[in-house]
Amino acid sequence: VLVDSLDIKANAFLSLFDRETPALQQQIRDYFYRYTGRSRQEKIENIYTRILDRAIDAQTVEALSRQFSAESLQAVIECDEIPGADALLEHLPTTVKKFVVSGTPEHELITIINARNMAHHFDAIKGTPRRKEDNIADLLAQHRLNASACLMLGDGHVDLFAAEQNQLHFIGVAAPEIQTFSGKVPTGRDLAEIGRALDIPRIE
């Protein structure tokens, strides 16, 4: 949602399965994009059991997770922002609490946000191993927030599910031609477009 990392992560994830057939790799790619907000460990386990129909032990899951991190971390730190991300964060009123809730491991997520000099924008940074819907529920309780006054921006079905589970308003971040969400979900191409729609000043 903040940085243009989805394809970087997808390619790094596919590299874990580079010996599979093209047909299986396409299924794995489709699974990755649909469940991008889940932890990499959960995705790896489910791909082995549901797509490849093979058993996998915990040590192999962790080894593949470390390989994914090694191949993607620096690229995510250095990739472009989603247009409008910095401007939106800079110009939201200071009274608005802002949180990152991600499927990335929390320690890695903090590393990325610190390296990109974004940490000062956020009141909390939450990643896996906890699921998004559980992290959001915790944040609502800890900060005594009314869910009906909160908005989640997300780029995948897992984000929409987490918002619905916690009764948050939701706006999808996705190009219309990709059709990530149904027509019933309000969607913007990027954060510049969403910032203008929310009438936040100085979003270019």
Side-chain angles (χ1 to χ4, degrees):
V1 173
L2 294 172
V3 300
D4 193 11
S5 63
L6 190 56
D7 289 341
I8 292 170
K9 291 181 176 180
N11 290 333
F13 197 79
L14 261 292
S15 73
L16 306 179
F17 303 95
D18 58 4
R19 296 185 179 182
E20 305 301 335
T21 66
L24 284 172
Q25 287 189 23
Q26 186 58 53
Q27 290 183 56
I28 292 166
R29 180 180 289 275
D30 291 344
Y31 180 91
F32 177 87
Y33 279 108
R34 183 165 184 82
Y35 295 101
T36 182
R38 292 298 182 213
S39 75
R40 61 197 59 167
Q41 289 90 345
E42 182 176 344
K43 288 197 286 284
I44 290 167
E45 288 177 4
N46 286 342
I47 284 167
Y48 265 81
T49 57
R50 298 180 186 180
I51 297 176
L52 303 179
D53 195 23
R54 299 175 201 157
I56 185 170
D57 57 48
Q59 289 98 336
T60 304
V61 170
E62 287 307 315
L64 290 171
S65 298
R66 289 193 296 272
Q67 182 181 336
F68 173 85
S69 179
E71 294 187 12
S72 63
L73 179 59
Q74 193 59 36
V76 172
I77 289 172
E78 296 174 355
C79 72
D80 293 336
E81 70 162 19
I82 295 295
D86 283 341
L88 181 65
L89 291 171
E90 287 289 347
H91 295 118
L92 279 170
T94 57
T95 53
V96 174
K97 290 188 178 295
K98 298 176 285 293
F99 310 101
V100 176
V101 182
S102 173
T104 301
E106 193 164 299
H107 64 91
E108 190 172 306
L109 183 63
I110 292 169
T111 296
I112 293 167
I113 290 173
N114 284 335
R116 295 185 68 101
N117 297 314
M118 301 174 76
H120 64 284
H121 290 300
F122 300 108
D123 294 274
I125 298 166
K126 297 292 184 180
T128 57
R130 300 208 74 200
R131 288 189 163 203
K132 286 190 177 185
E133 55 268 31
D134 298 326
N135 275 328
I136 291 170
D138 287 347
L139 289 169
L140 291 172
Q142 290 165 8
H143 293 267
R144 299 181 180 180
L145 298 174
N146 181 349
S148 66
C150 296
L151 170 66
M152 182 174 182
L153 305 178
D155 61 4
H157 293 278
V158 170
D159 302 309
L160 177 59
F161 175 79
E164 290 174 341
Q165 288 293 105
N166 287 282
Q167 300 181 306
L168 306 181
H169 298 285
F170 182 83
I171 297 177
V173 184
E177 61 268 20
I178 298 176
Q179 297 183 331
T180 303
F181 303 102
S182 74
K184 297 179 181 180
V185 177
T187 304
R189 176 178 296 275
D190 53 37
L191 295 187
E193 183 174 286
I194 290 171
R196 290 191 295 269
L198 294 174
D199 199 26
I200 297 169
R202 297 187 296 279
I203 300 296
E204 300 298 336

